[in-house]
Amino acid sequence: MGIPAVIAHGGAGPGPERGENVKIAVRVASKILESGGSAIDAAIEACVVLEDDPAFNAGTGSVYRTDGSVLVDASIQTCDGRLGFVIAMSNTPNPIRIAAALLHEEINGLAGKGAREWADKRGFRNSEVEGRTPLEGIGDTVGVITRDKNGFFACATSTGGCSFRPPGRVGDVPLPGSGFWTEKGIAVAATGNGEVITKNLLSYRILNKFSNSSDSLEDSISWGLNEFIDDSISVGLISLSDTGKGVGLANTDMPWSTWIGN
Ligand code: GLY
């Protein structure tokens, strides 16, 4: 048996005032975990809360691409080695649900038109995503990591993509090791400039540092930010290991919140 916990963030960049919105998602996950629910369900439902909240650049609040389209990415990984991700989906308010459905499939990932067709065949919601005008400083991703009473981990992330990016551009969120990585007893999720996060395989490197040193989670994230990220480029990370609460750290504002059960 383990002690359930959750940590969530609302993206590198938005002001700390969005912290209250992140807490709502954390509460949803905590209720599921407290009542014995799975880390997977808790991560998905908390991520859906953030996708449905127009304050965040994910799902409903996703920023327009440079051609005015709204295209969303999402991913989920579990500590038993399963993975699901979707890339550049249109008309998809909750891409995390489609990424999660891939946990049960042979394929890991789907992109674009094919992803939408796959989701349509299985009855996933297909409706126009409102989206919004990109603005400097709008956060770029949401992320949730959960640990359930069995010590099982899940990590879910979702985004409309960084602001001022063209249609077809792929960021870190759906790329394993870049925007997220999960193993037994630990998970890391990133937010911020997807190009820099991807070039540095940032989530995997930080997880690897933690697993192969005596550094704390905080030290490991701090190491990753100092080693690979120029301070002028906004990046943040959250992480949760097999004991204690989650840790969040960013070189900019990043609303985040964590909860631990009994
Ligand atoms: N970090 C989100 C993105 O670059 O798309």
PDB file of all heavy atoms in Angstrom, residues 57 61-74 86-90 130-134 140 158-174 195:
ATOM      1  N   ASN A  57      -4.055  27.230 -21.312  1.00  0.00           N
ATOM      2  CA  ASN A  57      -3.790  26.927 -22.718  1.00  0.00           C
ATOM      3  C   ASN A  57      -3.754  25.402 -22.908  1.00  0.00           C
ATOM      4  O   ASN A  57      -2.698  24.775 -22.996  1.00  0.00           O
ATOM      5  CB  ASN A  57      -2.469  27.569 -23.144  1.00  0.00           C
ATOM      6  CG  ASN A  57      -2.115  27.252 -24.587  1.00  0.00           C
ATOM      7  OD1 ASN A  57      -2.898  26.645 -25.313  1.00  0.00           O
ATOM      8  ND2 ASN A  57      -0.929  27.664 -24.992  1.00  0.00           N
ATOM      9  N   GLY A  61      -9.277  26.424 -23.745  1.00  0.00           N
ATOM     10  CA  GLY A  61      -8.537  27.699 -23.768  1.00  0.00           C
ATOM     11  C   GLY A  61      -7.305  27.690 -24.649  1.00  0.00           C
ATOM     12  O   GLY A  61      -6.455  28.593 -24.545  1.00  0.00           O
ATOM     13  N   SER A  62      -7.189  26.700 -25.519  1.00  0.00           N
ATOM     14  CA  SER A  62      -5.988  26.585 -26.366  1.00  0.00           C
ATOM     15  C   SER A  62      -5.809  27.805 -27.260  1.00  0.00           C
ATOM     16  O   SER A  62      -6.767  28.306 -27.843  1.00  0.00           O
ATOM     17  CB  SER A  62      -6.106  25.341 -27.267  1.00  0.00           C
ATOM     18  OG  SER A  62      -6.091  24.169 -26.483  1.00  0.00           O
ATOM     19  N   VAL A  63      -4.568  28.254 -27.393  1.00  0.00           N
ATOM     20  CA  VAL A  63      -4.314  29.436 -28.233  1.00  0.00           C
ATOM     21  C   VAL A  63      -4.351  29.056 -29.721  1.00  0.00           C
ATOM     22  O   VAL A  63      -4.045  27.926 -30.096  1.00  0.00           O
ATOM     23  CB  VAL A  63      -2.950  30.087 -27.904  1.00  0.00           C
ATOM     24  CG1 VAL A  63      -2.925  30.611 -26.483  1.00  0.00           C
ATOM     25  CG2 VAL A  63      -1.787  29.139 -28.157  1.00  0.00           C
ATOM     26  N   TYR A  64      -4.756  30.043 -30.547  1.00  0.00           N
ATOM     27  CA  TYR A  64      -4.766  29.825 -31.996  1.00  0.00           C
ATOM     28  C   TYR A  64      -3.345  29.612 -32.503  1.00  0.00           C
ATOM     29  O   TYR A  64      -2.409  30.249 -32.014  1.00  0.00           O
ATOM     30  CB  TYR A  64      -5.332  31.047 -32.734  1.00  0.00           C
ATOM     31  CG  TYR A  64      -6.707  31.482 -32.295  1.00  0.00           C
ATOM     32  CD1 TYR A  64      -6.997  32.834 -32.115  1.00  0.00           C
ATOM     33  CD2 TYR A  64      -7.721  30.557 -32.081  1.00  0.00           C
ATOM     34  CE1 TYR A  64      -8.261  33.252 -31.715  1.00  0.00           C
ATOM     35  CE2 TYR A  64      -8.989  30.974 -31.687  1.00  0.00           C
ATOM     36  CZ  TYR A  64      -9.245  32.314 -31.504  1.00  0.00           C
ATOM     37  OH  TYR A  64     -10.483  32.727 -31.101  1.00  0.00           O
ATOM     38  N   ARG A  65      -3.216  28.748 -33.509  1.00  0.00           N
ATOM     39  CA  ARG A  65      -1.956  28.677 -34.251  1.00  0.00           C
ATOM     40  C   ARG A  65      -1.863  29.908 -35.159  1.00  0.00           C
ATOM     41  O   ARG A  65      -2.804  30.682 -35.261  1.00  0.00           O
ATOM     42  CB  ARG A  65      -1.902  27.380 -35.081  1.00  0.00           C
ATOM     43  CG  ARG A  65      -2.070  26.103 -34.247  1.00  0.00           C
ATOM     44  CD  ARG A  65      -0.838  25.797 -33.423  1.00  0.00           C
ATOM     45  NE  ARG A  65      -1.103  24.694 -32.494  1.00  0.00           N
ATOM     46  CZ  ARG A  65      -0.409  23.558 -32.474  1.00  0.00           C
ATOM     47  NH1 ARG A  65       0.584  23.366 -33.321  1.00  0.00           N
ATOM     48  NH2 ARG A  65      -0.698  22.619 -31.583  1.00  0.00           N
ATOM     49  N   THR A  66      -0.746  30.031 -35.852  1.00  0.00           N
ATOM     50  CA  THR A  66      -0.546  31.252 -36.659  1.00  0.00           C
ATOM     51  C   THR A  66      -1.556  31.372 -37.805  1.00  0.00           C
ATOM     52  O   THR A  66      -1.748  32.456 -38.350  1.00  0.00           O
ATOM     53  CB  THR A  66       0.880  31.291 -37.236  1.00  0.00           C
ATOM     54  OG1 THR A  66       1.157  30.023 -37.832  1.00  0.00           O
ATOM     55  CG2 THR A  66       1.909  31.568 -36.155  1.00  0.00           C
ATOM     56  N   ASP A  67      -2.217  30.277 -38.183  1.00  0.00           N
ATOM     57  CA  ASP A  67      -3.236  30.357 -39.241  1.00  0.00           C
ATOM     58  C   ASP A  67      -4.656  30.464 -38.672  1.00  0.00           C
ATOM     59  O   ASP A  67      -5.628  30.369 -39.419  1.00  0.00           O
ATOM     60  CB  ASP A  67      -3.148  29.125 -40.159  1.00  0.00           C
ATOM     61  CG  ASP A  67      -3.533  27.841 -39.432  1.00  0.00           C
ATOM     62  OD1 ASP A  67      -3.632  27.863 -38.173  1.00  0.00           O
ATOM     63  OD2 ASP A  67      -3.755  26.817 -40.101  1.00  0.00           O
ATOM     64  N   GLY A  68      -4.765  30.612 -37.342  1.00  0.00           N
ATOM     65  CA  GLY A  68      -6.086  30.752 -36.718  1.00  0.00           C
ATOM     66  C   GLY A  68      -6.705  29.430 -36.307  1.00  0.00           C
ATOM     67  O   GLY A  68      -7.782  29.417 -35.703  1.00  0.00           O
ATOM     68  N   SER A  69      -6.064  28.315 -36.625  1.00  0.00           N
ATOM     69  CA  SER A  69      -6.629  27.018 -36.226  1.00  0.00           C
ATOM     70  C   SER A  69      -6.342  26.746 -34.743  1.00  0.00           C
ATOM     71  O   SER A  69      -5.466  27.365 -34.140  1.00  0.00           O
ATOM     72  CB  SER A  69      -6.044  25.883 -37.085  1.00  0.00           C
ATOM     73  OG  SER A  69      -4.643  25.815 -36.911  1.00  0.00           O
ATOM     74  N   VAL A  70      -7.114  25.816 -34.185  1.00  0.00           N
ATOM     75  CA  VAL A  70      -6.866  25.377 -32.811  1.00  0.00           C
ATOM     76  C   VAL A  70      -6.551  23.883 -32.877  1.00  0.00           C
ATOM     77  O   VAL A  70      -7.376  23.075 -33.311  1.00  0.00           O
ATOM     78  CB  VAL A  70      -8.100  25.594 -31.907  1.00  0.00           C
ATOM     79  CG1 VAL A  70      -7.801  25.136 -30.486  1.00  0.00           C
ATOM     80  CG2 VAL A  70      -8.533  27.042 -31.928  1.00  0.00           C
ATOM     81  N   LEU A  71      -5.347  23.520 -32.497  1.00  0.00           N
ATOM     82  CA  LEU A  71      -4.885  22.134 -32.576  1.00  0.00           C
ATOM     83  C   LEU A  71      -4.299  21.749 -31.221  1.00  0.00           C
ATOM     84  O   LEU A  71      -3.488  22.497 -30.661  1.00  0.00           O
ATOM     85  CB  LEU A  71      -3.813  21.993 -33.658  1.00  0.00           C
ATOM     86  CG  LEU A  71      -4.287  22.336 -35.074  1.00  0.00           C
ATOM     87  CD1 LEU A  71      -3.102  22.451 -36.021  1.00  0.00           C
ATOM     88  CD2 LEU A  71      -5.264  21.281 -35.573  1.00  0.00           C
ATOM     89  N   VAL A  72      -4.703  20.595 -30.716  1.00  0.00           N
ATOM     90  CA  VAL A  72      -4.308  20.242 -29.349  1.00  0.00           C
ATOM     91  C   VAL A  72      -3.478  18.955 -29.312  1.00  0.00           C
ATOM     92  O   VAL A  72      -3.629  18.062 -30.153  1.00  0.00           O
ATOM     93  CB  VAL A  72      -5.549  20.092 -28.442  1.00  0.00           C
ATOM     94  CG1 VAL A  72      -6.282  21.420 -28.317  1.00  0.00           C
ATOM     95  CG2 VAL A  72      -6.497  19.011 -28.965  1.00  0.00           C
ATOM     96  N   ASP A  73      -2.608  18.897 -28.318  1.00  0.00           N
ATOM     97  CA  ASP A  73      -1.757  17.725 -28.060  1.00  0.00           C
ATOM     98  C   ASP A  73      -2.043  17.238 -26.627  1.00  0.00           C
ATOM     99  O   ASP A  73      -2.356  18.056 -25.758  1.00  0.00           O
ATOM    100  CB  ASP A  73      -0.274  18.085 -28.077  1.00  0.00           C
ATOM    101  CG  ASP A  73       0.195  18.780 -29.337  1.00  0.00           C
ATOM    102  OD1 ASP A  73      -0.392  18.550 -30.403  1.00  0.00           O
ATOM    103  OD2 ASP A  73       1.177  19.545 -29.237  1.00  0.00           O
ATOM    104  N   ALA A  74      -1.846  15.956 -26.373  1.00  0.00           N
ATOM    105  CA  ALA A  74      -1.944  15.452 -24.998  1.00  0.00           C
ATOM    106  C   ALA A  74      -1.178  14.145 -24.881  1.00  0.00           C
ATOM    107  O   ALA A  74      -0.911  13.475 -25.890  1.00  0.00           O
ATOM    108  CB  ALA A  74      -3.410  15.234 -24.601  1.00  0.00           C
ATOM    109  N   VAL A  86      -1.443  12.037 -28.335  1.00  0.00           N
ATOM    110  CA  VAL A  86      -2.068  12.523 -29.570  1.00  0.00           C
ATOM    111  C   VAL A  86      -1.471  13.884 -29.921  1.00  0.00           C
ATOM    112  O   VAL A  86      -1.078  14.650 -29.051  1.00  0.00           O
ATOM    113  CB  VAL A  86      -3.607  12.623 -29.446  1.00  0.00           C
ATOM    114  CG1 VAL A  86      -4.231  11.252 -29.303  1.00  0.00           C
ATOM    115  CG2 VAL A  86      -4.033  13.530 -28.302  1.00  0.00           C
ATOM    116  N   ILE A  87      -1.409  14.138 -31.228  1.00  0.00           N
ATOM    117  CA  ILE A  87      -0.727  15.332 -31.726  1.00  0.00           C
ATOM    118  C   ILE A  87      -1.630  16.091 -32.702  1.00  0.00           C
ATOM    119  O   ILE A  87      -2.230  15.476 -33.591  1.00  0.00           O
ATOM    120  CB  ILE A  87       0.583  14.936 -32.461  1.00  0.00           C
ATOM    121  CG1 ILE A  87       1.501  14.165 -31.510  1.00  0.00           C
ATOM    122  CG2 ILE A  87       1.279  16.154 -33.040  1.00  0.00           C
ATOM    123  CD1 ILE A  87       2.788  13.656 -32.147  1.00  0.00           C
ATOM    124  N   ALA A  88      -1.694  17.403 -32.521  1.00  0.00           N
ATOM    125  CA  ALA A  88      -2.352  18.302 -33.483  1.00  0.00           C
ATOM    126  C   ALA A  88      -3.752  17.835 -33.877  1.00  0.00           C
ATOM    127  O   ALA A  88      -4.078  17.717 -35.049  1.00  0.00           O
ATOM    128  CB  ALA A  88      -1.473  18.465 -34.731  1.00  0.00           C
ATOM    129  N   MET A  89      -4.588  17.600 -32.868  1.00  0.00           N
ATOM    130  CA  MET A  89      -5.972  17.200 -33.147  1.00  0.00           C
ATOM    131  C   MET A  89      -6.865  18.437 -33.231  1.00  0.00           C
ATOM    132  O   MET A  89      -6.786  19.336 -32.398  1.00  0.00           O
ATOM    133  CB  MET A  89      -6.499  16.282 -32.037  1.00  0.00           C
ATOM    134  CG  MET A  89      -5.854  14.915 -32.028  1.00  0.00           C
ATOM    135  SD  MET A  89      -6.722  13.777 -30.928  1.00  0.00           S
ATOM    136  CE  MET A  89      -8.186  13.393 -31.916  1.00  0.00           C
ATOM    137  N   SER A  90      -7.725  18.455 -34.229  1.00  0.00           N
ATOM    138  CA  SER A  90      -8.719  19.533 -34.315  1.00  0.00           C
ATOM    139  C   SER A  90     -10.026  19.050 -33.686  1.00  0.00           C
ATOM    140  O   SER A  90     -10.233  17.838 -33.506  1.00  0.00           O
ATOM    141  CB  SER A  90      -8.944  19.923 -35.776  1.00  0.00           C
ATOM    142  OG  SER A  90      -9.374  18.790 -36.487  1.00  0.00           O
ATOM    143  N   GLU A 130     -13.163  26.401 -28.882  1.00  0.00           N
ATOM    144  CA  GLU A 130     -13.249  27.868 -28.955  1.00  0.00           C
ATOM    145  C   GLU A 130     -11.881  28.496 -29.204  1.00  0.00           C
ATOM    146  O   GLU A 130     -11.692  29.258 -30.128  1.00  0.00           O
ATOM    147  CB  GLU A 130     -13.826  28.358 -27.635  1.00  0.00           C
ATOM    148  CG  GLU A 130     -14.395  29.742 -27.687  1.00  0.00           C
ATOM    149  CD  GLU A 130     -15.080  30.080 -26.373  1.00  0.00           C
ATOM    150  OE1 GLU A 130     -15.842  29.225 -25.871  1.00  0.00           O
ATOM    151  OE2 GLU A 130     -14.814  31.176 -25.865  1.00  0.00           O
ATOM    152  N   GLY A 131     -10.934  28.186 -28.348  1.00  0.00           N
ATOM    153  CA  GLY A 131      -9.598  28.750 -28.488  1.00  0.00           C
ATOM    154  C   GLY A 131      -9.552  30.220 -28.138  1.00  0.00           C
ATOM    155  O   GLY A 131     -10.568  30.832 -27.799  1.00  0.00           O
ATOM    156  N   ARG A 132      -8.380  30.800 -28.208  1.00  0.00           N
ATOM    157  CA  ARG A 132      -8.231  32.231 -27.909  1.00  0.00           C
ATOM    158  C   ARG A 132      -6.945  32.774 -28.534  1.00  0.00           C
ATOM    159  O   ARG A 132      -6.043  32.028 -28.921  1.00  0.00           O
ATOM    160  CB  ARG A 132      -8.215  32.468 -26.412  1.00  0.00           C
ATOM    161  CG  ARG A 132      -7.031  31.799 -25.790  1.00  0.00           C
ATOM    162  CD  ARG A 132      -6.892  32.158 -24.353  1.00  0.00           C
ATOM    163  NE  ARG A 132      -6.162  31.095 -23.687  1.00  0.00           N
ATOM    164  CZ  ARG A 132      -5.575  31.241 -22.531  1.00  0.00           C
ATOM    165  NH1 ARG A 132      -5.640  32.375 -21.896  1.00  0.00           N
ATOM    166  NH2 ARG A 132      -4.927  30.240 -22.002  1.00  0.00           N
ATOM    167  N   THR A 133      -6.898  34.106 -28.586  1.00  0.00           N
ATOM    168  CA  THR A 133      -5.759  34.793 -29.183  1.00  0.00           C
ATOM    169  C   THR A 133      -4.512  34.556 -28.345  1.00  0.00           C
ATOM    170  O   THR A 133      -4.558  34.707 -27.124  1.00  0.00           O
ATOM    171  CB  THR A 133      -6.045  36.315 -29.218  1.00  0.00           C
ATOM    172  OG1 THR A 133      -7.314  36.497 -29.810  1.00  0.00           O
ATOM    173  CG2 THR A 133      -4.995  37.057 -30.002  1.00  0.00           C
ATOM    174  N   PRO A 134      -3.388  34.205 -28.978  1.00  0.00           N
ATOM    175  CA  PRO A 134      -2.153  34.051 -28.213  1.00  0.00           C
ATOM    176  C   PRO A 134      -1.710  35.385 -27.633  1.00  0.00           C
ATOM    177  O   PRO A 134      -1.903  36.417 -28.254  1.00  0.00           O
ATOM    178  CB  PRO A 134      -1.132  33.571 -29.244  1.00  0.00           C
ATOM    179  CG  PRO A 134      -1.859  33.333 -30.503  1.00  0.00           C
ATOM    180  CD  PRO A 134      -3.200  33.952 -30.407  1.00  0.00           C
ATOM    181  N   ASP A 140       1.423  27.622 -21.183  1.00  0.00           N
ATOM    182  CA  ASP A 140       1.351  26.851 -22.410  1.00  0.00           C
ATOM    183  C   ASP A 140       0.909  25.414 -22.264  1.00  0.00           C
ATOM    184  O   ASP A 140       0.793  24.724 -23.261  1.00  0.00           O
ATOM    185  CB  ASP A 140       2.725  26.857 -23.069  1.00  0.00           C
ATOM    186  CG  ASP A 140       3.708  26.204 -22.165  1.00  0.00           C
ATOM    187  OD1 ASP A 140       3.777  24.986 -22.155  1.00  0.00           O
ATOM    188  OD2 ASP A 140       4.369  26.929 -21.414  1.00  0.00           O
ATOM    189  N   SER A 158      -1.386  18.165 -21.301  1.00  0.00           N
ATOM    190  CA  SER A 158      -2.258  18.589 -22.399  1.00  0.00           C
ATOM    191  C   SER A 158      -1.942  20.033 -22.764  1.00  0.00           C
ATOM    192  O   SER A 158      -1.596  20.829 -21.890  1.00  0.00           O
ATOM    193  CB  SER A 158      -3.720  18.454 -21.942  1.00  0.00           C
ATOM    194  OG  SER A 158      -4.616  18.739 -22.986  1.00  0.00           O
ATOM    195  N   THR A 159      -2.073  20.382 -24.031  1.00  0.00           N
ATOM    196  CA  THR A 159      -1.725  21.756 -24.457  1.00  0.00           C
ATOM    197  C   THR A 159      -2.365  22.125 -25.789  1.00  0.00           C
ATOM    198  O   THR A 159      -2.687  21.241 -26.598  1.00  0.00           O
ATOM    199  CB  THR A 159      -0.185  21.905 -24.597  1.00  0.00           C
ATOM    200  OG1 THR A 159       0.133  23.274 -24.840  1.00  0.00           O
ATOM    201  CG2 THR A 159       0.370  21.062 -25.736  1.00  0.00           C
ATOM    202  N   GLY A 160      -2.497  23.434 -25.995  1.00  0.00           N
ATOM    203  CA  GLY A 160      -2.831  23.943 -27.322  1.00  0.00           C
ATOM    204  C   GLY A 160      -1.567  24.317 -28.085  1.00  0.00           C
ATOM    205  O   GLY A 160      -1.629  24.808 -29.203  1.00  0.00           O
ATOM    206  N   GLY A 161      -0.409  24.096 -27.450  1.00  0.00           N
ATOM    207  CA  GLY A 161       0.887  24.446 -28.057  1.00  0.00           C
ATOM    208  C   GLY A 161       1.296  25.848 -27.636  1.00  0.00           C
ATOM    209  O   GLY A 161       0.453  26.705 -27.352  1.00  0.00           O
ATOM    210  N   CYS A 162       2.571  26.069 -27.590  1.00  0.00           N
ATOM    211  CA  CYS A 162       3.095  27.405 -27.281  1.00  0.00           C
ATOM    212  C   CYS A 162       2.464  28.426 -28.226  1.00  0.00           C
ATOM    213  O   CYS A 162       2.124  28.088 -29.356  1.00  0.00           O
ATOM    214  CB  CYS A 162       4.601  27.436 -27.552  1.00  0.00           C
ATOM    215  SG  CYS A 162       5.605  27.013 -26.152  1.00  0.00           S
ATOM    216  N   SER A 163       2.379  29.664 -27.775  1.00  0.00           N
ATOM    217  CA  SER A 163       1.840  30.728 -28.626  1.00  0.00           C
ATOM    218  C   SER A 163       2.756  30.987 -29.830  1.00  0.00           C
ATOM    219  O   SER A 163       3.956  30.741 -29.770  1.00  0.00           O
ATOM    220  CB  SER A 163       1.716  32.023 -27.821  1.00  0.00           C
ATOM    221  OG  SER A 163       0.693  31.885 -26.874  1.00  0.00           O
ATOM    222  N   PHE A 164       2.137  31.464 -30.909  1.00  0.00           N
ATOM    223  CA  PHE A 164       2.847  31.889 -32.120  1.00  0.00           C
ATOM    224  C   PHE A 164       3.548  30.724 -32.826  1.00  0.00           C
ATOM    225  O   PHE A 164       4.655  30.865 -33.332  1.00  0.00           O
ATOM    226  CB  PHE A 164       3.845  33.018 -31.800  1.00  0.00           C
ATOM    227  CG  PHE A 164       3.243  34.115 -30.969  1.00  0.00           C
ATOM    228  CD1 PHE A 164       3.653  34.329 -29.663  1.00  0.00           C
ATOM    229  CD2 PHE A 164       2.224  34.906 -31.489  1.00  0.00           C
ATOM    230  CE1 PHE A 164       3.069  35.329 -28.891  1.00  0.00           C
ATOM    231  CE2 PHE A 164       1.641  35.911 -30.725  1.00  0.00           C
ATOM    232  CZ  PHE A 164       2.065  36.120 -29.430  1.00  0.00           C
ATOM    233  N   ARG A 165       2.882  29.559 -32.858  1.00  0.00           N
ATOM    234  CA  ARG A 165       3.442  28.404 -33.550  1.00  0.00           C
ATOM    235  C   ARG A 165       2.525  28.029 -34.721  1.00  0.00           C
ATOM    236  O   ARG A 165       1.304  28.169 -34.632  1.00  0.00           O
ATOM    237  CB  ARG A 165       3.562  27.198 -32.608  1.00  0.00           C
ATOM    238  CG  ARG A 165       4.491  27.432 -31.403  1.00  0.00           C
ATOM    239  CD  ARG A 165       5.914  27.683 -31.857  1.00  0.00           C
ATOM    240  NE  ARG A 165       6.888  27.587 -30.782  1.00  0.00           N
ATOM    241  CZ  ARG A 165       7.250  28.577 -29.970  1.00  0.00           C
ATOM    242  NH1 ARG A 165       6.694  29.776 -30.084  1.00  0.00           N
ATOM    243  NH2 ARG A 165       8.175  28.386 -29.046  1.00  0.00           N
ATOM    244  N   PRO A 166       3.091  27.537 -35.827  1.00  0.00           N
ATOM    245  CA  PRO A 166       2.279  27.213 -37.006  1.00  0.00           C
ATOM    246  C   PRO A 166       1.514  25.894 -36.835  1.00  0.00           C
ATOM    247  O   PRO A 166       1.881  25.076 -35.989  1.00  0.00           O
ATOM    248  CB  PRO A 166       3.329  27.070 -38.106  1.00  0.00           C
ATOM    249  CG  PRO A 166       4.568  26.659 -37.390  1.00  0.00           C
ATOM    250  CD  PRO A 166       4.514  27.289 -36.029  1.00  0.00           C
ATOM    251  N   PRO A 167       0.500  25.663 -37.671  1.00  0.00           N
ATOM    252  CA  PRO A 167      -0.183  24.369 -37.648  1.00  0.00           C
ATOM    253  C   PRO A 167       0.832  23.299 -38.050  1.00  0.00           C
ATOM    254  O   PRO A 167       1.686  23.557 -38.888  1.00  0.00           O
ATOM    255  CB  PRO A 167      -1.272  24.513 -38.716  1.00  0.00           C
ATOM    256  CG  PRO A 167      -0.814  25.639 -39.589  1.00  0.00           C
ATOM    257  CD  PRO A 167       0.005  26.551 -38.731  1.00  0.00           C
ATOM    258  N   GLY A 168       0.769  22.142 -37.452  1.00  0.00           N
ATOM    259  CA  GLY A 168       1.712  21.083 -37.805  1.00  0.00           C
ATOM    260  C   GLY A 168       2.945  21.059 -36.926  1.00  0.00           C
ATOM    261  O   GLY A 168       3.654  20.059 -36.862  1.00  0.00           O
ATOM    262  N   ARG A 169       3.180  22.142 -36.226  1.00  0.00           N
ATOM    263  CA  ARG A 169       4.334  22.173 -35.317  1.00  0.00           C
ATOM    264  C   ARG A 169       4.083  21.201 -34.146  1.00  0.00           C
ATOM    265  O   ARG A 169       2.992  21.074 -33.633  1.00  0.00           O
ATOM    266  CB  ARG A 169       4.521  23.594 -34.795  1.00  0.00           C
ATOM    267  CG  ARG A 169       5.563  23.748 -33.697  1.00  0.00           C
ATOM    268  CD  ARG A 169       4.920  23.729 -32.316  1.00  0.00           C
ATOM    269  NE  ARG A 169       5.885  23.967 -31.259  1.00  0.00           N
ATOM    270  CZ  ARG A 169       5.576  23.952 -29.972  1.00  0.00           C
ATOM    271  NH1 ARG A 169       4.345  23.720 -29.599  1.00  0.00           N
ATOM    272  NH2 ARG A 169       6.500  24.149 -29.067  1.00  0.00           N
ATOM    273  N   VAL A 170       5.125  20.474 -33.746  1.00  0.00           N
ATOM    274  CA  VAL A 170       4.995  19.532 -32.627  1.00  0.00           C
ATOM    275  C   VAL A 170       5.861  20.025 -31.466  1.00  0.00           C
ATOM    276  O   VAL A 170       7.055  20.267 -31.635  1.00  0.00           O
ATOM    277  CB  VAL A 170       5.447  18.116 -33.044  1.00  0.00           C
ATOM    278  CG1 VAL A 170       5.298  17.152 -31.876  1.00  0.00           C
ATOM    279  CG2 VAL A 170       4.641  17.632 -34.236  1.00  0.00           C
ATOM    280  N   GLY A 171       5.256  20.172 -30.308  1.00  0.00           N
ATOM    281  CA  GLY A 171       5.979  20.595 -29.106  1.00  0.00           C
ATOM    282  C   GLY A 171       6.375  19.414 -28.246  1.00  0.00           C
ATOM    283  O   GLY A 171       6.396  18.264 -28.691  1.00  0.00           O
ATOM    284  N   ASP A 172       6.690  19.686 -27.004  1.00  0.00           N
ATOM    285  CA  ASP A 172       7.199  18.643 -26.104  1.00  0.00           C
ATOM    286  C   ASP A 172       6.120  17.752 -25.507  1.00  0.00           C
ATOM    287  O   ASP A 172       6.399  16.608 -25.123  1.00  0.00           O
ATOM    288  CB  ASP A 172       7.972  19.303 -24.948  1.00  0.00           C
ATOM    289  CG  ASP A 172       7.083  20.246 -24.146  1.00  0.00           C
ATOM    290  OD1 ASP A 172       6.580  21.225 -24.745  1.00  0.00           O
ATOM    291  OD2 ASP A 172       6.865  20.002 -22.955  1.00  0.00           O
ATOM    292  N   VAL A 173       4.895  18.274 -25.422  1.00  0.00           N
ATOM    293  CA  VAL A 173       3.852  17.558 -24.655  1.00  0.00           C
ATOM    294  C   VAL A 173       3.596  16.127 -25.120  1.00  0.00           C
ATOM    295  O   VAL A 173       3.468  15.227 -24.291  1.00  0.00           O
ATOM    296  CB  VAL A 173       2.556  18.413 -24.617  1.00  0.00           C
ATOM    297  CG1 VAL A 173       1.335  17.578 -24.251  1.00  0.00           C
ATOM    298  CG2 VAL A 173       2.732  19.532 -23.606  1.00  0.00           C
ATOM    299  N   PRO A 174       3.536  15.877 -26.439  1.00  0.00           N
ATOM    300  CA  PRO A 174       3.291  14.484 -26.837  1.00  0.00           C
ATOM    301  C   PRO A 174       4.570  13.674 -27.035  1.00  0.00           C
ATOM    302  O   PRO A 174       4.495  12.527 -27.479  1.00  0.00           O
ATOM    303  CB  PRO A 174       2.552  14.648 -28.169  1.00  0.00           C
ATOM    304  CG  PRO A 174       3.083  15.929 -28.730  1.00  0.00           C
ATOM    305  CD  PRO A 174       3.487  16.795 -27.585  1.00  0.00           C
ATOM    306  N   GLU A 195      10.342  23.690 -27.689  1.00  0.00           N
ATOM    307  CA  GLU A 195      11.521  23.410 -28.513  1.00  0.00           C
ATOM    308  C   GLU A 195      12.723  23.126 -27.608  1.00  0.00           C
ATOM    309  O   GLU A 195      13.449  22.137 -27.794  1.00  0.00           O
ATOM    310  CB  GLU A 195      11.808  24.593 -29.443  1.00  0.00           C
ATOM    311  CG  GLU A 195      10.874  24.675 -30.659  1.00  0.00           C
ATOM    312  CD  GLU A 195       9.427  25.061 -30.331  1.00  0.00           C
ATOM    313  OE1 GLU A 195       9.181  25.683 -29.292  1.00  0.00           O
ATOM    314  OE2 GLU A 195       8.537  24.724 -31.137  1.00  0.00           O
TER     315      GLU A 195
END
